[in-house]
Amino acid sequence: MAWHIRPDWQYEPDLKKCSEVELRFTPADDGSTLVELEHRELHRHGAGGLNMRNQVDSEGGWGALLTTFGAKAEATK
């Protein structure tokens, strides 16, 4: 999916200036699901791309979101 968010966290309508987020769900042998998230093409954000990368890779970034998602999925079993 296109990440339509600028480094200042405002909407970016121009796809040429958007990065991409891909989620992959793969069944594991133990019955669980491996969830992989790839956020790529951050250079499209221009000078703010490195800052964006640092923010989504921070303690409250994608890792925290995936941890919360996993906890909610476990709670619904």
Side-chain angles (χ1 to χ4, degrees), residues 10-72:
Q10 299 300 308
Y11 176 70
E12 175 55 70
D14 186 351
L15 276 175
K16 293 176 187 171
K17 296 179 181 178
C18 294
S19 52
E20 302 171 357
V21 177
E22 179 178 351
L23 281 166
R24 292 178 293 279
F25 299 88
T26 307
D29 293 337
D30 65 358
S32 64
T33 302
L34 173 66
V35 180
E36 297 174 283
L37 184 146
E38 180 182 358
H39 193 160
R40 59 182 175 249
E41 306 295 346
L42 287 149
H43 68 276
R44 292 179 184 170
H45 294 288
L50 181 58
N51 187 46
M52 173 72 72
R53 176 179 166 67
N54 291 337
Q55 290 179 35
V56 299
D57 195 32
S58 71
E59 184 178 319
W62 286 124
L65 180 66
L66 289 174
T67 298
T68 301
F69 174 76
K72 293 291 184 184

